[in-house]
Amino acid sequence: MIAAQEEAVRQFTDKVAALGAGPRRVGRLVAHEGGMLEVTGFDYPIGYGGSVRAADGRRIRAEIAGFRGSRAMMVPLESDAALRSGARVEPDAQANMAVVGEALLGRVIGPMGEPLDGLGPVIAHDRWPLAGKRENVLNRGRVTKTIDLGVRAINALLTAGHGQRIAVAAGSGVGKSVLIGQIIGFAEADVIVVGLIGERGREVSDFVETKMAGPMKSRTVTVAVPADHSPILRLRAAYRATAIAEYFRKQGKKVLLIIDSLTRIAHAQREIGLALGEPPTMKGYPPSALALIPKLVERAGNDRESGGSITALYTVLADGDDLDDPIVDGARAIVDGHIILSRSMAEQGIFPAIDIGKSLSRVATDIISDEHRRAMANFRRIWSAYEENRDLLLMGAYREGTDANIDEAVARRPDLLDYIRQAPHDRVDLDASVADLMQGFGA
């Protein structure tokens, strides 16, 4: 009898532990300085959420970003809250989970999952960790199948595959957003997840009214947070968009994830890191801001178990058109390809202003035919011959007939630019893109 009772008690204890029950540690706010909250008695790990009781009765959400001795350093999600010393801080485990499901399709939500489109609450019941689920690295499959992105220059010259991660880098006003909008409208994908991180409010409204007005709306999930929100909300929006993409990948879907932009995510982490006292490194970025890029980018890719994939495009702002910017350089080192947009081409009215010589797809040679590869190499050879001798040509220092390669590059320059040009509302599928390339530049 005693043994049976002990076994029943043990089973009950195991069930309670599985449910996460136990002592509920409640903290107290003891300091608020530099946008950081110092809380005592709040013994939870980094990334854990909590809510602070404000003076006006509201509950202000916050997240643990670090520790100072035995005190938890928390970042509030609202910067104008009326907080006072001694305020009660309660744990909030649900803050680390994203609500996911088919009900998200066609919706626009905020960084905390709240609806922004006025269509009522999102009725979804599944949950996915914002930080993702760590899996065996060998579960990540190779990129073996091409994906049609609807843009001729990318399809044929920078051929992408399902599960590839691509950085789109350029200075301000060169056409990143227009190119991304074109890809959203034309890409071959089951689900598209868009994270608009730190955008101007006007651009968010413009995206919803134009890019989501077509047939892709029913397959698109948009997570938006404007630039005037707290840095932790900007980070949460990026995590939420990635978590939603991971959920649909686990369902076996072909997902296109677009994060605009990776630079603003790094800026948000820079604000948090500097407030925590991290030492600034290149261009004022603390180590945590640079370490954030691979953590986010590595969550995309193929899943061997489900057969699903996340093909990810990350826009990167090159401050002052500096392609050696630490964020541009860090992103370019971790992704599977990069698309560089040229300001000089944009100023000439060439759209999309893709600098083919500086752009690269690291998986293209594994997923295209030999004929396609030869035509691509021929295009790049002619492009490079012109770019390397541009200064000589502009100064008039080159004499025709001196070099056959340069003569060909000069004669075919209009053909190269005409091939890249594509109106924002025109779609050129993968087969047509390759056929045009082989017809014009096949060896």
Side-chain angles (χ1 to χ4, degrees), residues 126-360:
D126 293 330
R127 298 288 186 274
W128 194 272
L130 285 177
K133 297 180 180 180
R134 187 174 293 276
E135 297 180 348
N136 188 331
V137 67
L138 295 182
N139 289 339
R140 196 57 54 82
R142 294 177 57 241
V143 178
T144 58
K145 297 181 180 179
T146 57
I147 181 174
D148 186 355
L149 296 179
V151 180
R152 180 169 50 223
I154 298 176
N155 280 342
L157 300 170
L158 305 167
T159 311
H162 286 284
Q164 185 174 355
R165 292 83 51 88
I166 305 170
V168 181
S172 57
V174 181
K176 293 188 303 297
S177 298
V178 178
L179 177 60
I180 290 298
Q182 190 174 19
I183 292 173
I184 291 172
F186 300 148
E188 172 194 4
D190 298 325
V191 176
I192 298 178
V193 181
V194 182
L196 301 177
I197 316 299
E199 293 283 1
R200 295 180 288 272
R202 176 194 61 80
E203 290 184 338
V204 175
S205 299
D206 179 72
F207 174 84
V208 173
E209 294 177 9
T210 57
K211 309 301 186 297
M212 289 190 64
M216 288 305 300
K217 179 178 180 179
S218 61
R219 291 188 284 163
T220 303
V221 183
T222 304
V223 184
V225 56
D228 59 347
H229 282 50
S230 72
I232 197 66
L233 283 179
R234 282 174 262 157
L235 291 181
R236 277 186 171 271
Y239 292 147
R240 187 172 297 274
T242 307
I244 293 170
E246 287 177 323
Y247 167 79
F248 283 112
R249 177 179 62 187
K250 206 63 177 177
Q251 309 304 310
K253 305 282 189 182
K254 304 297 183 184
V255 183
L256 177 64
L257 171 65
I258 295 175
I259 299 293
D260 185 13
S261 73
L262 202 60
T263 304
R264 294 191 180 100
I265 296 172
H267 287 174
Q269 183 61 41
R270 178 170 62 182
E271 292 181 42
I272 295 172
L274 294 178
L276 285 171
E278 284 190 68
T281 55
M282 293 181 294
K283 288 198 173 181
Y285 289 104
S288 63
L290 301 177
L292 178 65
I293 296 174
K295 288 181 181 178
L296 196 62
V297 172
E298 278 297 306
R299 292 171 62 180
N302 292 316
D303 187 344
R304 290 184 186 273
E305 294 181 355
S306 68
S309 66
I310 298 177
T311 306
L313 277 79
Y314 303 91
T315 67
V316 188
L317 177 64
D319 292 328
D321 292 337
D322 180 13
L323 296 179
D324 293 326
D325 179 89
I327 302 303
V328 177
D329 200 43
R332 193 166 45 189
I334 194 67
V335 295
D336 305 314
H338 51 272
I339 299 172
I340 306 298
L341 302 186
S342 165
R343 184 174 298 278
S344 65
M345 291 176 64
E347 290 171 347
Q348 296 172 44
I350 300 168
F351 176 85
I354 300 175
D355 189 332
I356 298 300
K358 295 179 180 178
S359 303
L360 176 69

Side-chain angles (χ1 to χ4, degrees), residues 370-410:
D370 291 339
E371 294 81 3
H372 183 183
R373 188 180 301 110
R374 285 193 291 269
M376 180 191 298
N378 191 39
F379 187 103
R380 284 182 170 273
R381 177 186 64 81
I382 300 172
W383 182 280
S384 254
Y386 186 91
E387 293 297 327
E388 288 173 1
N389 297 278
R390 174 188 288 272
D391 292 341
L392 288 176
L393 295 170
L394 293 178
M395 290 188 300
Y398 174 75
R399 185 171 58 187
E400 186 178 356
T402 304
D403 188 299
N405 285 330
I406 299 177
D407 291 342
E408 182 185 10
V410 173

